[in-house]
Amino acid sequence: ARVSDDGHRTACARHNAPCASRVSRRSARAMADALRANARDQIARLLTQLADLEDAREEFDDDEYEETKAETLAQLDSFKTSLARMTTGDVTLTNELETIKSATLAAISAAFKTPEILKLFALKQPEALRERLRACERDVLLGKMSDAKGKIERVEILTALKKLQAPLEESELTFLREHMTAGLAEFVAVAGDNA
């Protein structure tokens, strides 16, 4: 560095290039982090909207419910299209966006019946999914949840855990093979193995 006429230190052009490169990489990383955060927030908002709609279904007439659900699914479809354009470039960013894209695909295809489970998958929360699985099994045993609903939730949770590459016990894999729905099987096949 040299001192300019006004007494400030200035870097020579030869040393400035690596500095600009570091700043550029930091800036790109910050932008990628912001993009990931925005994508997670967007999918969480849309999946929460679907979950809230399901929870409040009795408050809507059939037409209003279907219209609101169709609007939310259209927003998910639009979001999926945006993600498809964004999934080129940074591998870390691409992997995270692929997970969000998989969750979006599942919501659109209605593979998951439980938006809360889909939300936990999209936000990559295997520990929360495990907790939900324990709660589901407990609620079935206590009679707070029907066997049929418990089976649906258990299959969805195990599918999400498998897609997140979380370890599954042999009994869980067997249960999953025996009870996986066609929609979830299609989700696993279409979404690929990159969770």
Side-chain angles (χ1 to χ4, degrees):
R2 61 178 187 234
V3 178
S4 66
D5 293 337
D6 63 356
H8 291 91
R9 295 182 116 192
T10 59
C12 65
R14 184 176 73 203
H15 291 42
N16 198 24
C19 293
S21 173
R22 278 195 306 272
V23 169
S24 174
R25 282 193 300 261
R26 262 186 267 148
S27 177
R29 197 172 322 140
M31 287 175 53
D33 290 345
L35 184 57
R36 275 192 291 272
N38 286 341
R40 279 192 302 269
D41 291 347
Q42 179 73 359
I43 192 68
R45 182 188 68 75
L46 290 170
L47 294 174
T48 298
Q49 189 172 317
L50 270 179
D52 291 347
L53 180 63
E54 290 301 320
D55 290 345
R57 184 176 181 137
E58 293 82 34
E59 297 174 24
F60 295 97
D61 61 42
D62 288 343
D63 290 340
E64 191 177 28
Y65 169 80
E66 290 300 326
E67 181 181 329
T68 305
K69 186 172 183 177
E71 287 173 5
T72 303
L73 292 176
Q75 290 174 23
L76 278 165
D77 192 39
S78 175
F79 182 63
K80 181 188 83 166
T81 302
S82 295
L83 282 177
R85 288 193 304 264
M86 287 188 265
T87 53
T88 58
D90 177 13
V91 175
T92 305
L93 178 61
T94 300
N95 287 345
E96 190 152 341
L97 290 175
E98 283 296 327
T99 299
I100 295 169
K101 191 165 100 176
S102 294
T104 305
L105 175 66
I108 292 168
S109 68
F112 284 86
K113 304 278 188 242
T114 316
E116 296 88 4
I117 294 170
L118 187 57
K119 181 179 176 182
L120 294 174
F121 167 73
L123 298 177
K124 289 183 146 182
Q125 296 182 350
E127 298 83 16
L129 285 164
R130 278 276 170 207
E131 180 57 38
R132 176 90 185 212
L133 180 62
R134 286 188 290 275
C136 172
E137 291 169 342
R138 181 192 65 233
D139 288 351
V140 168
L141 285 173
L142 295 175
K144 293 181 178 181
M145 182 185 294
S146 71
D147 287 339
K149 183 168 172 38
K151 183 178 105 178
I152 290 168
E153 283 201 20
R154 190 169 178 208
V155 168
E156 290 178 2
I157 292 167
L158 292 173
T159 300
L161 287 168
K162 184 176 180 183
K163 289 295 295 168
L164 292 173
Q165 299 176 345
L168 296 179
E169 296 175 10
E170 189 57 42
S171 61
E172 292 173 330
L173 289 169
T174 301
F175 181 86
L176 194 54
R177 280 190 295 272
E178 292 173 357
H179 297 95
M180 185 178 282
T181 64
L184 285 172
E186 182 180 333
F187 163 67
V188 170
V190 171
D193 291 355
N194 295 339

